[in-house]
Amino acid sequence: MSRLTSFIVALFLILCSPAFAQQEQEAPDLVAWNKLAEQAEQILESGSANDARLQTIRDEVVKWREKLKAGQGVNATRIATLKDQIAALGPAPAEGETESEEIAARRKELNEQLAALQAPGLQAVEAYGRADGIVAQIDQTLRARQNFALIRKTPAPINPANWTPAVAEAAHVATQIYDEAHSRWDSTGGMSGFTQRLPLIGGLLLVALLLLSQGRRWVDSLPSRLSARASERSRAALIFGVSLGQIAIPLIGVILVAAAVASTDLVDDWGMPLLRSIPAAGLSFFGGVWLARRLFPTADTAGQPPLPMSEERRAKARARATLLSAALALHQLFSRTILPLSGFNSQNDTNTVPQRISEASAGVWHFLLVLFGAFCLFRLCTVLRGLRMTEASAAPDYRIRVVNFLTMVGRVIALATPVLVALGYVTAGNAMLWALVRTLALVGLLIILQDFIADFYAMAKGGDQSARDALMPVLFGFALILLSLPLFALIWGARPSDLVEAWTKAQQGFSFGGVRLSPMAILTFLIVFAVGYSLTGFVQGAFRSSILPKTRLDAGGQNAVTSIIGYVGVALAAVFAVTSAGIDLTSLAFVAGALSVGIGFGMQQVVSNFVSGIILLVERPIAVGDWIEVGGQQGIVRRMAVRATQIETFDRTQVIVPNSNLITQPVTNWTRGSLAGRIVVPVTVAHGSDSRQVAEILREIAEDQPTVLVNPAPAVMLRGITADGLNFELRAILADINGGTGVVSEINHQILQRFAENGIVLPGSTRPARDIFVHEQHEEGAELS
């Protein structure tokens, strides 16, 4: 109880803290903003600024836009107070009407103050729209430039005239790096300076050598040892955690090598860009190798492979994925530093050598890299294509379909991109090929993470492997896919500013029926409704278990009270959630009208059942446990819901009766108000029977039954005299009609017994069994005499 209270208080403070923390906003400096806006608009109109300059202007305008958005709430508290004061004066007089001079003067004064206070906010609204327009114009310009760079044709690399300059320019870059190192060797003291830095350089290289050789070998062998020693329920999760060292340890070694080279002070403008690109290239390579080993594991390091493949195909895929990682690492090392035209946003490269090689020469080197990468991609996709579900594999079907689709696309792109680059569309070819490679890597990472989540959940549930297919891991996997969507967008050319702008627009929300919904409003609605729903369940449980059992209400009344509490609680939770999310219910008028039309035509039965359910809970003509008959069905009421009532018949079948039927059709309730009920037992005896004796016997039999009430006493009536016999009817009131069938059966047994004892003949028999026995006895005596 204390935890629940603490959670509610904390959530209330979180939701209400913005309202308490809100302070009066200061009006933004509109003069400075207008000056910046005019400059930005002039630059955009001239089209002279490069992408970096436009991005700088955009960042400044975005900062101003946030200030202007905050400035829209200037004087909000005072404005609200003035509106309340004006409302307190009453409605303004209609045309042709007048009001007292004092009230009119006061109203005029307050309206003037209100207009003065609203002016800064209105100006901020106008300025915000201008800032938003400038940001949109800059984004449009940058996207247009990016599209132009992608489709721009450069000198074809298959032209032999470009091959010699390409080698010469690459040699020139290498010469510049060497000359830079030679010149800095002299400027840093030569051998004496190098000797002073030797301990640091040697230490970094020694640690890097150990990490790259022994460390990696130890990490590679550790999963196999853990696979043999770890318990079944923790093996997969532990192997995954340890396998991350296959990325971290060699990557640290590569970074230490780069740091050792940088500590020599022999690299500067020419060598430093390459040195800075080494960690990214190392991450691409070692990350790709790790992905290959996790996606296509050996038999001794994985319990359940992520994809249904034979061991031979997994070995081929692992080797080809490693080669593709090497191709991506080479592209990552030289692109954007030495080679232009490297793909999306390559026109904005900043960390480059002082003079990159020309576009014609870059096309030649890019063509070689693209050929290598496309060859590796095609061979990998060839191995992966045509995956099929197998009985031994637990891989989801959607995963196989996604992999098959990507391999099909990959084969097409692997064939198309070398052709594009050969024709001179170098930037487009690079963008398509390497973006697809990164997409495959990200999809593989999602597959691995989903399996890890499932393994971890199974381990937390005590090693039950069936828990891998539970709902919770599936939900986490789905959330993981949603969180990865921005990464896919970045891979395929989106800029970080585009994602930020998309999130800003999403926060502003969308209009629906005059109501603006935003992610925060929806999240607030869900949180408040969830808390309200939980509190409703808690209150229902308290009433059901603690309060209602101590009252005089029967089980049906307690169930009705609990149900009504649930409906009221859910309704209040919905109302509080809507108001907390800032949704104006008055704006939903036309939506309500549209819904009323839909209800009138398509949902009238649902609404009728709902209203009938409420009526049943309030009036309580039936309750849980009652024996009722409706629509030709008899049974015990087991459950009453808002739409239908569940009846269990006497042959143990479940019948769902719509609540509207219980209101509109005749319903027989055998046990409502009292369990007492009447039974009627018809009896027919042969002609010649003593009617008084028959009536007396039937009355005695009824009175002997323990559940038959004495008051009113059982009644026996001679209902008719027919050709078949005398028709009697025994009527008795039972204390509990639920046992009526058993009582009737027992009465019939006793009727047969008593009628036989008293010589009463039933129709269809000539003489009672006792008479036959007596006559036979007399005949035997005569013969003996």
Side-chain angles (χ1 to χ4, degrees):
M1 182 66 182
S2 60
R3 292 183 178 179
L4 179 62
T5 305
S6 303
F7 172 73
I8 296 173
V9 172
L11 182 62
F12 177 78
L13 293 177
I14 292 174
L15 294 176
C16 297
S17 57
F20 288 115
Q22 184 177 4
Q23 299 179 356
E24 289 295 336
Q25 300 288 339
E26 296 182 0
D29 187 358
L30 295 180
V31 176
W33 156 245
N34 289 328
K35 182 178 179 180
L36 174 64
E38 291 176 359
Q39 294 176 354
E41 290 170 347
Q42 291 176 0
I43 292 174
L44 286 172
E45 186 176 357
S46 64
S48 58
N50 57 18
D51 291 355
R53 175 59 177 160
L54 287 179
Q55 188 63 43
T56 302
I57 295 174
R58 185 189 186 282
D59 295 339
E60 295 179 1
V61 174
V62 167
K63 293 179 181 178
W64 269 103
R65 187 175 62 175
E66 295 300 321
K67 294 179 181 178
L68 294 171
K69 182 178 180 180
Q72 296 176 10
V74 172
N75 303 324
T77 304
R78 181 57 180 153
I79 289 173
T81 304
L82 283 175
K83 288 182 178 180
D84 292 339
Q85 290 178 286
I86 295 173
L89 297 178
E95 184 177 358
E97 297 180 356
T98 59
E99 60 182 350
S100 63
E101 295 182 357
E102 295 180 356
I103 295 179
R106 182 58 177 167
R107 188 187 303 277
K108 179 180 179 181
E109 178 185 358
L110 293 176
N111 283 326
E112 290 176 352
Q113 295 179 14
L114 180 62
L117 291 174
Q118 287 178 335
L122 296 176
Q123 293 174 353
V125 171
E126 184 272 334
Y128 178 86
R130 186 180 184 184
D132 200 45
I134 293 175
V135 171
Q137 189 175 358
I138 292 176
D139 288 340
Q140 184 179 0
T141 302
L142 292 175
R143 281 193 294 269
R145 292 183 178 182
Q146 182 184 34
N147 294 335
F148 176 76
L150 286 174
I151 64 176
R152 187 169 65 92
K153 185 177 181 180
T154 55
I158 58 175
N159 186 358
N162 297 324
W163 298 352
T164 302
V167 176
E169 291 187 32
H172 173 72
V173 172
T175 301
Q176 291 294 329
I177 295 175
Y178 174 79
D179 292 342
E180 180 184 69
H182 187 270
S183 62
R184 290 186 64 82
W185 174 270
D186 296 334
S187 62
T188 55
M191 182 57 70
S192 60
F194 179 77
T195 304
Q196 295 177 356
R197 296 186 295 272
L198 185 59
L200 176 60
I201 298 171
L204 292 175
L205 290 177
L206 180 60
V207 175
L209 181 62
L210 290 174
L211 292 177
L212 290 173
S213 58
Q214 302 301 323
R216 181 174 178 81
R217 182 183 306 171
W218 181 78
V219 172
D220 288 346
S221 62
L222 188 58
S224 300
R225 294 199 297 266
L226 283 178
S227 179
R229 299 179 182 179
S231 62
E232 183 66 27
R233 68 178 186 177
S234 61
R235 180 181 302 169
L238 288 176
I239 291 176
F240 175 85
V242 173
S243 68
L244 294 176
Q246 296 174 350
I247 303 176
I249 291 180
L251 182 60
I252 293 174
V254 170
I255 293 174
L256 291 178
V257 171
V261 175
S263 63
T264 61
D265 288 338
L266 299 180
V267 292
D268 197 5
D269 294 338
W270 285 93
M272 190 57 70
L274 276 174
L275 206 60
R276 289 172 180 168
S277 65
I278 287 178
L283 179 61
S284 297
F285 177 71
F286 296 119
V289 172
W290 177 79
L291 280 174
R293 295 185 177 185
R294 295 297 303 172
L295 284 172
F296 318 111
T298 57
D300 58 340
T301 58
Q304 183 66 47
L307 297 174
M309 301 172 62
S310 63
E311 180 61 31
E312 181 182 359
R313 291 183 67 186
R314 282 203 300 269
K316 291 181 179 179
R318 188 165 55 247
R320 295 175 185 182
T322 302
L323 280 178
L324 186 59
S325 303
L328 179 61
L330 289 175
H331 171 79
Q332 190 80 19
L333 181 64
F334 297 110
S335 298
R336 303 183 184 277
T337 55
I338 298 176
L339 303 176
L341 311 176
S342 57
F344 293 111
N345 302 313
S346 58
Q347 69 275 14
N348 299 323
D349 295 337
T350 55
N351 186 26
T352 64
V353 296
Q355 182 180 356
R356 293 193 290 182
I357 63 178
S358 64
E359 292 183 348
S361 300
V364 175
W365 293 107
H366 275 306
F367 182 64
L368 296 177
L369 290 175
V370 167
L371 273 179
F372 180 42
F375 173 75
C376 297
L377 177 62
F378 186 85
R379 287 173 57 82
L380 176 62
C381 293
T382 301
V383 175
L384 294 180
R385 69 171 180 168
L387 292 181
R388 295 290 185 271
M389 286 292 298
T390 60
E391 295 182 358
S393 174
D397 181 62
Y398 73 88
R399 176 184 298 179
I400 297 175
R401 284 188 274 114
V402 168
V403 173
N404 284 332
F405 173 76
L406 289 177
T407 54
M408 179 188 67
V409 175
R411 284 165 59 87
V412 174
I413 289 183
L415 294 175
T417 48
V419 177
L420 285 176
V421 175
L423 294 177
Y425 297 98
V426 180
T427 304
N430 274 309
M432 292 176 59
L433 176 64
W434 304 115
L436 182 64
V437 172
R438 293 187 177 96
T439 299
L440 288 173
L442 184 54
V443 170
L445 179 61
L446 291 176
I447 291 174
I448 292 172
L449 291 179
Q450 286 179 343
D451 285 348
F452 169 71
I453 291 173
D455 291 333
F456 188 80
Y457 185 79
M459 183 181 69
K461 296 292 287 186
D464 185 6
Q465 291 302 310
S466 62
R468 299 181 84 257
D469 299 326
L471 176 62
M472 194 60 64
V474 175
L475 292 179
F476 276 111
F478 181 72
L480 204 62
I481 294 175
L482 293 180
L483 293 176
S484 67
L485 293 180
L487 297 179
F488 284 108
L490 291 174
I491 287 174
W492 287 96
R495 295 174 295 117
S497 58
D498 293 334
L499 301 181
V500 174
E501 187 66 17
W503 176 248
T504 302
K505 295 298 183 182
Q507 285 182 314
Q508 295 176 1
F510 59 92
S511 181
F512 175 75
V515 178
R516 182 162 291 276
L517 299 177
S518 64
M520 289 305 300
I522 296 174
L523 181 61
T524 302
F525 175 86
L526 294 177
I527 292 177
V528 175
F529 183 78
V531 172
Y533 187 82
S534 301
L535 287 177
T536 300
F538 174 77
V539 173
Q540 280 184 296
F543 268 79
R544 184 184 297 110
S545 60
S546 301
I547 299 176
L548 293 178
K550 299 178 181 179
T551 64
R552 297 182 179 180
L553 290 175
D554 56 9
Q558 295 178 17
N559 179 72
V561 172
T562 304
S563 300
I564 292 174
I565 290 175
Y567 299 144
V568 173
V570 171
L572 291 177
V575 172
F576 283 132
V578 168
T579 55
S580 300
I583 300 175
D584 186 6
L585 294 178
T586 59
S587 301
L588 295 175
F590 89 96
V591 178
L595 287 177
S596 64
V597 175
I599 291 172
F601 287 99
M603 300 180 63
Q604 53 182 346
Q605 290 298 327
V606 176
V607 176
S608 175
N609 290 327
F610 178 82
V611 175
S612 300
I614 299 298
I615 294 174
L616 291 175
L617 291 176
V618 174
E619 295 186 354
R620 297 180 57 211
I622 62 174
V624 175
D626 287 354
W627 172 13
I628 68 172
E629 179 180 357
V630 57
Q633 298 287 344
Q634 283 194 39
I636 306 300
V637 177
R638 295 304 184 193
R639 182 175 179 270
M640 296 182 65
V642 70
R643 189 194 66 84
T645 297
Q646 180 178 327
I647 299 176
E648 182 181 356
T649 63
F650 296 113
D651 56 0
R652 301 301 180 185
T653 58
Q654 304 295 325
V655 179
I656 306 300
V657 180
N659 288 332
S660 59
N661 291 357
L662 299 174
I663 296 296
T664 60
Q665 296 183 7
V667 178
T668 302
N669 194 330
W670 299 98
T671 58
R672 186 60 179 166
S674 173
L675 295 178
R678 187 181 69 174
I679 60 172
V680 177
V681 182
V683 179
T684 302
V685 298
H687 289 288
S689 301
D690 187 350
S691 61
R692 300 293 181 181
Q693 183 185 14
V694 171
E696 182 64 24
I697 291 174
L698 292 177
R699 187 178 297 107
E700 291 176 356
I701 291 174
E703 291 175 350
D704 289 342
Q705 303 304 314
T707 59
V708 172
L709 297 180
V710 178
N711 186 20
V716 179
M717 293 174 289
L718 179 59
R719 297 300 302 271
I721 302 173
T722 64
D724 295 331
L726 308 179
N727 297 330
F728 288 87
E729 192 172 83
L730 169 61
R731 298 180 180 182
I733 305 297
L734 301 184
D736 187 355
I737 193 61
N738 290 313
T741 303
V743 174
V744 171
S745 176
E746 179 62 26
I747 288 176
N748 286 327
H749 281 297
Q750 294 191 20
I751 287 175
L752 293 175
Q753 179 182 354
R754 295 285 299 275
F755 279 9
E757 292 174 355
N758 291 276
I760 299 174
V761 180
L762 297 176
S765 60
T766 57
R767 51 185 176 178
R770 183 175 178 181
D771 288 347
I772 296 173
F773 175 78
V774 172
H775 290 312
E776 290 176 350
Q777 190 176 30
H778 288 171
E779 291 174 354
E780 292 174 358
E783 292 177 355
L784 291 174
S785 61

